Amino acid sequence: MEICGGGNGLTVYQYGVQATTTTTTTTSSTAATSTSTSTSTSTSTSTSTSTSATPTPTGPSILPAYGNWISQGCWSDDPGARSLPIGMQTTGNTVQKCADACYAAGYSYSGTEYSAECYCGNAVVNNGAKQTDDGCNMLCSGDNMHYCGGPFRLNLYKYNGVVPPPTNPGGGGGGGGGGGGAVGPVTTGLPGNWHYAGCYVDNQFGRVMSFQPPQNAQNTIQTCIATCQGQGFNLAGTEYGAECWCSNSINNGGALASADTQCNMACSGSATQACGAGNRLSVYSAVNTFPSYPVPTAKKTNLPGGYTYTGCYTEPAGGLRIFPLYQITDKINNSVDTCLNKCAAFGYEVSAVEYGQECFCGSASDLTSNGGAVAPEADCSMACPEEGSNGAPVPSLEVLPKPAGGPTFLTMDWLLRTDPNNLYPFAFVLPGGGILVIYYNEARILDEKTFATTKTLPIIPGTVTSPAGRTYPMEGTAMLLPQYYPYTDPVEVIVCGGSANGIALDNCARIQPEVEGAQWIVERMPSQRVMTIMTALPDGTYMIMGGAQQGVAGFGLATKPNLQAILYDPTQPKHQRFSILGTTSVARLYHSEATLLHDGRVLVTGSDPEDNLNPQEYRMEVYIPPYLTANRIQPSYTITNRDWTYNGLYNINVVLPQGPVANMRISLLGAVSTTHGASFGQRTIFPKFTCNVNACTITAPTNAHVCPPGWYQLFVLDGPTPSNSQWVRIGGDPASLGNWPADPAFSPPGMGPI
């Protein structure tokens, strides 16, 4: 196996330059981690504001003391030879909980590591040494205001006084130390061919299993096996009581522990079952033999062209890049040779691989002028994906419910051809029939029954000089523009933001896909934006916010957060449709969302950049759009029948504080489920209605192509001002989504009337 960098480390190759070495022996993890330096709090109205600074810290920090426990700083740790040898299980780990557990067990040192791990001892052993604080950069799993170590780093605390002997000694374990309780592996009663495969050392050179489901407070061997089996894995492993891991192979040199009793921590859901320990996995297998891959090594010989191995370099602080311009992400086939050959073909004398799946091209001057530094080779220890870290792409569509006589999975050659730049494609049902799909920088219309391509649209423009992607990892956002009764005008779709291999786009592109010979029309946005978050508003406008001004989507892959919100109004003339709204102090990067609330405000949440600069966000903001800032009273309405059929007539009674009825509008906004720029179910419809004074009758949309079956927010607008919405269901439930699996503890909603 060969190495393709690390979480923040580049394996660098250069024409005719020998490797640079370093004398330091410090090791660090390859996992991308999240740090937080933000000290701001914010509230959002039409313009977000920040509170004034106070002496009280408002951002994460190292807890200086807890009672008699005094911080000793950030210390090194080795999973194979622990600095504090006794592992303790804590739920919702904090510095305080770990210290309490160590005190109760009779230990005078406590240490938190990797957010959720707790270790104890009466001395620092195995050459543990104090390090700089920036290595302890992971927030405690139970306290997002304090740090609990990091990869291979302990936030160490010492008790200033005498710790009494424990009243109930025992427990603990991990890292090859600690006493055991009455726990052991499960050897009987397992499903099918599943059996116990042994206690394995984990995380000595990286995680030995590839997939971790969410932690389970009731974790047992049986629940972990069921989870892994349901995900298609042949191996299941439990660690640290509450962790479940899945894989089809043992990776990164994982090997059996020297003693099976090192897996001695009770499962969080069973006091008698052993669920590993600190960096120990209790492994169960559904097959008799499974692959085991060695620790990857840097490729230093048989390199293509004139390249030589230069060494491991760390990226500069603040989420910046040594090679900022040209990045290629290939989650499936990235390797040293493919990266070097790509860079050589375009004349770049330096090539580098990072984070397993990333390839960078640049010049020798980038190494010295952009803040990179030589790092220990241990910082570059992540395997290239071609060695089995990722499976082959699955370029298919899945049809549910399964059509009569037809397959569930349909392979699409255009998905295979554009992989991996087409993830989370945008899809819309078209009023004239068929499904519009937007992926990478392409778009096509599919027959809704056969899924054969009926029309291929022009390539979506990128920048003025180069092509660009619109779907993950080049992530923008796509929306359908409003449809108006009688729904005869061609529908229009708009896609905003994206990236040209790291250069964020400053435009939106729109098209009428059903029109013969239609072309994309480009409209400039006020600023660059990748990882765009976007929501439709009840007045037919669209709010755009969040994302970054440089980079691509993913953990630690974007910089320069875009804090400016903008509004897009499709009723205005071309090039006059954008207006600038308020700003925020909260970066909304990877995994952020904007959600329209019932009262017309917008809820803004999320951000998990893991860029060593911006925090994982738990703060939520509410943005008040312009239509709610003019001191106008919101209208209201009453409705009786909320289960609509196509072309049906439905009565409401409205109260318009401003009036008159002649200025009233009605809008229907589809229920949306969003992720990675894809807004499933998004649709804005302005239906026909008539009124006699305040008694109004709405004509439901005409068919399932104009208005796909589902739930819609019904708004009444008094001039520009929307009411609170109510949900109506249109078109019933033809896919039987309401028929949930039977469960005695749950009453399914069913498909009947609301």
Side-chain angles (χ1 to χ4, degrees):
M1 297 180 70
E2 64 186 44
I3 282 173
C4 279
N8 201 42
L10 285 160
T11 305
V12 178
Y13 297 84
Q14 189 173 351
Y15 269 101
V17 178
Q18 298 301 314
T20 304
T21 59
T22 176
T23 57
T24 180
T25 59
T26 302
T27 61
S28 65
S29 167
T30 62
T33 59
S34 174
T35 69
S36 174
T37 57
S38 172
T39 59
S40 66
T41 59
S42 69
T43 59
S44 288
T45 56
S46 60
T47 302
S48 300
T49 59
S50 299
T51 60
S52 58
T54 68
T56 303
T58 59
S61 61
I62 294 177
L63 186 68
Y66 166 57
N68 287 344
W69 291 92
I70 308 300
S71 171
Q72 305 299 300
C74 183
W75 286 61
S76 64
D77 190 30
D78 185 339
R82 289 288 180 193
S83 300
L84 296 180
I86 309 301
M88 290 290 176
Q89 182 177 349
T90 56
T91 301
N93 192 41
T94 66
V95 171
Q96 296 92 326
K97 285 184 178 180
C98 183
D100 288 345
C102 293
Y103 184 89
Y107 297 106
S108 57
Y109 282 85
S110 73
T112 54
E113 183 168 350
Y114 212 73
S115 180
E117 300 175 3
C118 170
Y119 297 96
C120 309
N122 283 318
V124 177
V125 296
N126 293 321
N127 298 314
K130 190 172 183 179
Q131 308 293 323
T132 58
D133 285 346
D134 57 1
C136 290
N137 54 20
M138 297 185 72
L139 300 178
C140 301
S141 61
D143 177 5
N144 63 7
M145 294 303 292
H146 294 104
Y147 292 118
C148 278
F152 301 167
R153 293 293 185 270
L154 282 164
N155 273 119
L156 185 69
Y157 291 81
K158 181 179 180 181
Y159 189 79
N160 186 18
V162 178
V163 178
T167 54
N168 294 298
V183 297
V186 177
T187 57
T188 60
L190 298 176
N193 295 323
W194 286 88
H195 60 276
Y196 180 61
C199 178
Y200 276 74
V201 177
D202 187 25
N203 211 26
Q204 187 170 11
F205 305 102
R207 292 294 185 183
V208 303
M209 286 191 168
S210 57
F211 174 73
Q212 183 185 18
Q215 286 197 22
N216 181 3
Q218 299 300 318
N219 189 45
T220 66
I221 300 303
Q222 289 85 352
T223 61
C224 184
I225 287 176
T227 298
C228 295
Q229 188 174 27
Q231 295 286 339
F233 292 102
N234 292 323
L235 297 178
T238 55
E239 183 168 350
Y240 213 73
E243 296 179 6
C244 174
W245 292 81
C246 310
S247 189
N248 286 319
S249 60
I250 296 295
N251 306 310
N252 291 317
L256 287 167
S258 58
D260 207 56
T261 54
Q262 291 182 16
C263 288
N264 58 10
M265 186 173 286
C267 299
S268 57
S270 171
T272 60
Q273 296 181 0
C275 277
N279 288 309
R280 294 295 185 272
L281 269 172
S282 297
V283 176
Y284 292 78
S285 175
V287 293
N288 291 328
T289 60
F290 46 84
S292 181
Y293 295 112
V295 179
T297 58
K299 185 174 183 179
K300 301 180 180 180
T301 59
N302 298 320
L303 298 170
Y307 284 104
T308 58
Y309 174 69
T310 303
C312 179
Y313 280 71
T314 186
E315 296 273 30
L320 302 178
R321 293 286 190 189
I322 296 177
F323 305 105
L325 293 181
Y326 301 103
Q327 174 186 350
I328 305 161
T329 301
D330 188 342
K331 298 181 179 181
I332 307 301
N333 299 310
N334 191 43
S335 70
V336 171
D337 282 7
T338 57
C339 182
L340 267 58
N341 284 325
K342 186 74 171 180
C343 296
F346 285 84
Y348 292 100
E349 67 267 32
V350 179
S351 177
V353 284
E354 183 175 9
Y355 209 66
Q357 62 195 26
E358 298 167 5
C359 168
F360 294 86
C361 304
S363 302
S365 59
D366 293 332
L367 286 171
T368 56
S369 61
N370 291 336
V374 177
E377 292 211 3
D379 283 10
C380 293
S381 58
M382 190 170 289
C384 303
E386 67 164 1
E387 303 292 345
S389 298
N390 294 287
V394 184
S396 63
L397 301 179
E398 184 173 6
V399 183
L400 295 173
K402 181 178 180 180
T408 298
F409 296 93
L410 298 172
T411 299
M412 298 290 152
D413 64 321
W414 42 272
L415 286 176
L416 179 61
R417 174 174 50 78
T418 55
D419 180 80
N421 294 320
N422 58 19
L423 306 184
Y424 303 94
F426 311 138
F428 302 96
V429 174
L430 294 175
I435 301 170
L436 171 68
V437 183
I438 300 172
Y439 55 98
Y440 183 39
N441 62 358
E442 300 181 11
R444 64 183 60 222
I445 298 176
L446 307 179
D447 182 280
E448 62 197 61
K449 294 181 180 179
T450 66
F451 294 93
T453 298
T454 61
K455 183 178 183 180
T456 301
L457 299 176
I459 295 294
I460 307 172
T463 72
V464 69
T465 59
S466 63
R470 302 285 183 165
T471 52
Y472 182 92
M474 313 288 185
E475 187 181 314
T477 302
M479 295 261 169
L480 283 181
L481 296 185
Q483 299 169 258
Y484 296 86
Y485 176 84
Y487 318 116
T488 54
D489 291 337
V491 73
E492 195 164 16
V493 65
I494 189 169
V495 56
C496 292
S499 179
N501 293 307
I503 302 173
L505 302 186
D506 64 353
N507 63 57
C508 298
R510 57 187 175 87
I511 196 171
Q512 295 175 327
E514 295 176 300
V515 172
E516 191 63 33
Q519 298 292 319
W520 292 93
I521 299 173
V522 175
E523 296 181 272
R524 286 280 307 279
M525 293 191 294
S527 57
Q528 293 172 283
R529 203 178 298 258
V530 63
M531 295 183 292
T532 311
I533 55 177
M534 188 172 178
T535 186
L537 300 179
D539 64 349
T541 61
Y542 296 81
M543 191 169 180
I544 302 170
M545 63 183 74
Q549 299 179 70
Q550 181 174 307
V552 296
F555 293 123
L557 302 182
T559 58
K560 299 181 181 178
N562 195 323
L563 305 178
Q564 183 81 62
I566 59 177
L567 191 73
Y568 181 80
D569 185 351
T571 66
Q572 297 301 312
K574 181 183 175 182
H575 302 310
Q576 299 179 35
R577 296 180 173 184
F578 288 104
S579 55
I580 294 176
L581 301 178
T583 59
T584 179
S585 60
V586 181
R588 300 291 180 183
L589 298 167
Y590 193 43
H591 290 155
S592 298
E593 299 294 348
T595 305
L596 176 65
L597 298 176
H598 288 280
D599 60 4
R601 297 178 301 163
V602 177
L603 178 67
V604 188
T605 58
S607 191
D608 184 20
E610 298 196 28
D611 59 1
N612 295 323
L613 181 63
N614 298 286
Q616 185 178 57
E617 277 299 343
Y618 297 93
R619 292 175 290 178
M620 296 186 292
E621 298 172 284
V622 173
Y623 195 94
I624 302 176
Y627 51 59
L628 292 177
T629 60
N631 295 320
R632 295 168 62 93
I633 301 173
Q634 289 184 261
S636 61
Y637 68 90
T638 57
I639 184 171
T640 302
N641 189 346
R642 298 189 298 116
D643 197 3
W644 295 8
T645 59
Y646 294 117
N647 280 317
L649 302 178
Y650 301 96
N651 298 322
I652 63 172
N653 287 293
V654 302
V655 177
L656 306 178
Q658 285 76 223
V661 171
N663 293 335
M664 189 182 86
R665 292 181 293 164
I666 291 175
S667 61
L668 293 161
L669 274 74
V672 177
S673 176
T674 66
T675 183
H676 294 78
S679 297
F680 304 100
Q682 179 274 325
R683 220 160 184 103
T684 300
I685 298 172
F686 286 88
K688 176 185 177 182
F689 68 92
T690 58
C691 294
N692 182 7
V693 190
N694 288 342
C696 300
T697 300
I698 304 171
T699 302
T702 53
N703 57 57
H705 289 118
V706 169
C707 175
W711 292 88
Y712 291 79
Q713 285 180 271
L714 173 63
F715 287 93
V716 168
L717 292 103
D718 183 0
T721 308
S723 65
N724 280 21
S725 69
Q726 297 186 53
W727 288 105
V728 297
R729 186 174 69 175
I730 303 176
D733 189 7
S736 302
L737 298 179
N739 279 356
W740 292 34
D743 189 303
F746 177 72
S747 298
M751 299 183 298
I754 298 171

